[in-house]
Amino acid sequence: DTTRGRPGTGAWRVLQRLWRLVDGMVGRLPARETRPPAQFGPAALGLRRQVHKTVAGIGADIEAFHFNKAVARIYELTNALDDAAKAARRVGVAAAREPTSDSKGADIDWALREAAEILVRLIGPMTPHLGEALWRRLGHSTLLAESAWPKHDPALIVDDTVTLAVQVNGKLRGTVARARDIDIAQRGGGDQDRPAALVDGVGALAAQQQDLHPVGVALLDRADDRLVELDLERRGGGGGERDAAQRQH
């Protein structure tokens, strides 16, 4: 490799990879005006979330002149698109063996088209020549430079779950995931008012602590954060010890 160690080698390899990635998936992508499917599976939805979070992040980075961060996000999105494309090929192979599964993978194919087009639009200001070539490769007859900057879908940049960090005596012991939109009872309610997954998840972590067992979960709501408190008590009685599961918004 005669280019090893030369300035810009890493960036050049990324650009080559971008070309191979987009060029290699063009044959399986749906037509540009294809309507989105009624539902998206986990893989397609995950890719779409990554894409729209990247759009939102790069927009903010460019406005703040944080160009290195914007480039890093493009690298991350390229990796995500590459992984999704490989997974889609595996789905395609499986579908080809099942004559009744003609529509299998349609959601991921649509998501791949969306991701590829948005990725190309995002690299336009930084690598205009490559951007224009890939834009044409995706079937466009107009100039990339004349296309609008992509907009993110606010619903796709909000995660369905949030993670609570569980602390025991001020030390992080683990995390518990919960759905963002579940209705957690306000402070003062008992465990019967809490989502079972939350109580069980925090309780399981508490049970790992020697000589302690959970006696309750309480919630404090404040304007700027949400604090889930787990009360632990020494086995056989004695003073209680309060541990907290906390996540900053």
Side-chain angles (χ1 to χ4, degrees), residues 3-20:
T3 63
R4 185 182 301 275
R6 293 183 182 179
T9 299
W12 173 245
R13 287 175 175 170
V14 170
L15 296 181
Q16 289 181 314
R17 183 187 178 199
L18 262 173
W19 173 265
R20 291 194 300 268

Side-chain angles (χ1 to χ4, degrees), residues 83-153:
D83 291 342
K86 291 175 180 177
R89 285 196 291 271
R90 292 193 293 270
V91 170
V93 171
R97 298 170 181 166
E98 303 175 20
T100 60
S101 61
D102 293 338
S103 62
K104 190 173 184 179
D107 61 335
I108 190 64
D109 287 347
W110 193 95
L112 285 171
R113 157 69 74 173
E114 178 189 47
E117 296 220 351
I118 288 180
L119 177 58
V120 170
R121 287 156 75 183
L122 291 175
I123 68 172
M126 305 173 194
T127 56
H129 294 86
L130 176 63
E132 293 290 353
L134 288 175
W135 192 244
R136 183 61 62 92
R137 189 73 183 90
L138 287 169
H140 293 271
S141 58
T142 58
L143 291 175
L144 173 62
E146 296 176 348
S147 65
W149 185 254
K151 295 182 179 180
H152 68 273
D153 183 342

Side-chain angles (χ1 to χ4, degrees), residues 18 36 40 76 89 243:
L18 262 173
F40 290 94
E76 292 173 357
R89 285 196 291 271
D243 306 326

Side-chain angles (χ1 to χ4, degrees), residues 130-240:
L130 176 63
E132 293 290 353
L134 288 175
W135 192 244
R136 183 61 62 92
R137 189 73 183 90
L138 287 169
H140 293 271
S141 58
T142 58
L143 291 175
L144 173 62
E146 296 176 348
S147 65
W149 185 254
K151 295 182 179 180
H152 68 273
D153 183 342
L156 289 175
I157 66 173
V158 178
D159 292 324
D160 290 335
T161 61
V162 293
T163 301
L164 304 175
V166 180
Q167 296 182 155
V168 177
N169 296 333
K171 295 181 180 180
L172 181 65
R173 298 300 185 184
T175 59
V176 176
R178 70 166 178 83
R180 176 179 293 276
D181 58 354
I182 61 175
D183 183 17
I184 301 179
Q186 298 300 311
R187 186 175 185 175
D191 284 353
Q192 67 275 12
D193 300 320
R194 316 294 177 189
L198 178 62
V199 174
D200 293 345
V202 178
L205 287 169
Q208 298 173 11
Q209 311 308 313
Q210 293 183 353
D211 299 326
L212 297 174
H213 67 94
V215 296
V217 178
L219 176 76
L220 296 176
D221 273 338
R222 298 190 298 194
D224 59 345
D225 64 3
R226 175 162 290 173
L227 175 67
V228 178
E229 292 186 341
L230 173 67
D231 289 328
L232 298 183
E233 185 180 80
R234 294 223 172 260
R235 299 185 189 279

